Amino acid sequence: MKGLQKLLLFCLLSLSVSGTVLADDITIHEYRAQCVVDDHGQAKLTVSVDMSIPTGSVNLDFPIGSGSGGVMSGASCKQVKTEEGSALRLREESGISGRRTFVFSYSMGQVIQDAGEGQKLSLDVIAPGWQWPMEKASFTINLPAPFTGTPTYVGGYRGDLVDDFWTFETTDTSIGGLAGEALLDHDELSVSLELPAGYVTIRSKLAGLITLLLILALGMACAAYWYLRLYAALPRVYLHTAPPRGAGAGDLPLIHSAASPSLPVQLTEWAALGYVQIRMGKKGRVQVERIRPMDRSRSRIEIWAFQNLFAKKDVCSCGSRRFTALCERYGQVAGSWWRKKVFSRRGGSPLLLRAMAAVAVPVAAMGAVLSSTLFGAPRVTVLVLAVPVGFLAGLAVQQGPVAYVRRNWQWMAAAGGAFLVMLVGAKLLGGFLNMAVAMGLQILAGLGTVRGGRRSKFGQAILSETLGFHRYLAHVDRKELEIRLRENGQFFYQLLPFAEAVGQGQTFAKGFGEIRLGPCFWLDGLRKPPRTAEAFYEVYQQLLRRMAGK
């Protein structure tokens, strides 16, 4: 029994000794750090470590603190996160042992920063996290210009009393130090130095200034293009109680705010005119049935779309691929036809102006990243993402004014979300002012193109009628509506497609209040037909969404 106890005790001692060899018997004979600080306040450190490794270790970690971009001479390593910051991890499957010298280098971000009325150098020459004792240690820091201040030092174990254990030497442009005795494991050393204002040109300030100048230049280019190629005074607006002559409900989005023509809205006008009958099924299916042929009084585009819609049979399902494709084709064909009539051929392109303005957002985003404390791989990643994300965010914000004019609250929310996300991101990175200017440019670009580009005489005239109709819908009197309903029980149902096309559908429906309506003759399939204008408007919105495949 005693023999067994002795055997167990021997095994425990053996394990304890082997663990000590792996953790404690590695010794650094000499540690040398050379640091060069450039005229932008960023540093490059080169460290040489002469060490003995008595037993084979698969991994060795060389701490670099907050550094990045580390490389090791003659070996492949990767940067890993540790409790003290970061480290370069060297891995050799066959084991690392014997007397070895390792040389590695890494970069430090902004080691000189603004502090009060001047600037300050803060630098770790022995990064925290070294696990092994150092028999000798030394460092040299080369600065970009002469200085007159006195450096201060803080050690890991000795705190600000480190002067008693190190020999420090300064020249007009360098700082050096030599340890007077061996350092313990997990020791460290940091240097700080007060410097005069403007000692270095900090890249963040330079990047911010250049970014602002670029954004302002883009803004001036956009303003010049808008004034020379797109600007046209709004026509005089007189109250119109009827939609503009010669335009269908589906065409009004383009005439009113340069949006794409809508076949679903046009279909509801056709239904109100008696050309088709619309049925809403229980499972969300919408069918359109031809009631009579379309007469030649309608526009060529409407006749073309009507004939294509019912080319095969008299009933068309709005959920089919064919219908979806026809909706897209209608937007293209009708849009091209109306743009030629409405907009001046000598005018510029609103899309070009918006693209020019949208470029300011990735410029501001990249400037914010360059002004931030991000360094190394995270900096590169965010810079790469800033271009597409910023450009798309700019285009989204530009839709805010258009969405407001058309009362499209979903697009308004998307524009507002993009606006806030970019501003908050820039605030966190340190480029809020530039991003705010860029966002202002997006809003101006949206406002400047909310009606499209420069219009022809016909375009000005039909826009005047459209805006007059818009004004009528926004301020319609309930007593007048009651009179109109007594004269024509289908008045609300006939005018609703036009009201929706100019973004006033909901306002128009609210104007009727609790007035009881008769049944809608062109819409079938409803279990409980709504009896108020607001209730029917909700059904109408659902109908348009189903037609659009949403």
Side-chain angles (χ1 to χ4, degrees), residues 11-23:
C11 292
L12 289 173
L13 288 173
S14 299
L15 290 172
S16 175
V17 169
S18 63
T20 304
V21 167
L22 288 174

Side-chain angles (χ1 to χ4, degrees), residues 365-445:
M366 289 189 293
V369 176
L370 294 173
S371 300
S372 71
T373 55
L374 290 175
F375 207 73
R379 186 189 190 99
V380 174
T381 302
V382 178
L383 273 175
V384 171
L385 291 175
V387 176
V389 172
F391 188 78
L392 293 175
L395 294 178
V397 172
Q398 291 172 14
Q399 293 301 314
V402 180
Y404 176 76
V405 167
R406 296 192 53 74
R407 300 300 190 266
N408 190 327
W409 307 122
Q410 292 180 342
W411 268 107
M412 277 286 293
F419 182 87
L420 290 176
V421 166
M422 298 308 294
L423 283 183
V424 170
K427 179 68 175 178
L428 295 174
L429 293 173
F432 180 81
L433 175 62
N434 292 340
M435 185 59 72
V437 175
M439 287 291 106
L441 179 58
Q442 307 314 303
I443 294 174
L444 290 176

Side-chain angles (χ1 to χ4, degrees), residues 10 12 53 57 80 85 143 188 271 276 370 377 405 415 464 469 475 495-496 518 541 544:
F10 175 77
L12 289 173
I53 309 159
S57 298
V80 296
L143 294 168
E188 57 191 78
V276 298
L370 294 173
V405 167
S464 176
F469 177 62
H475 303 94
L495 209 62
L496 179 59
Q541 284 284 295
L544 293 180

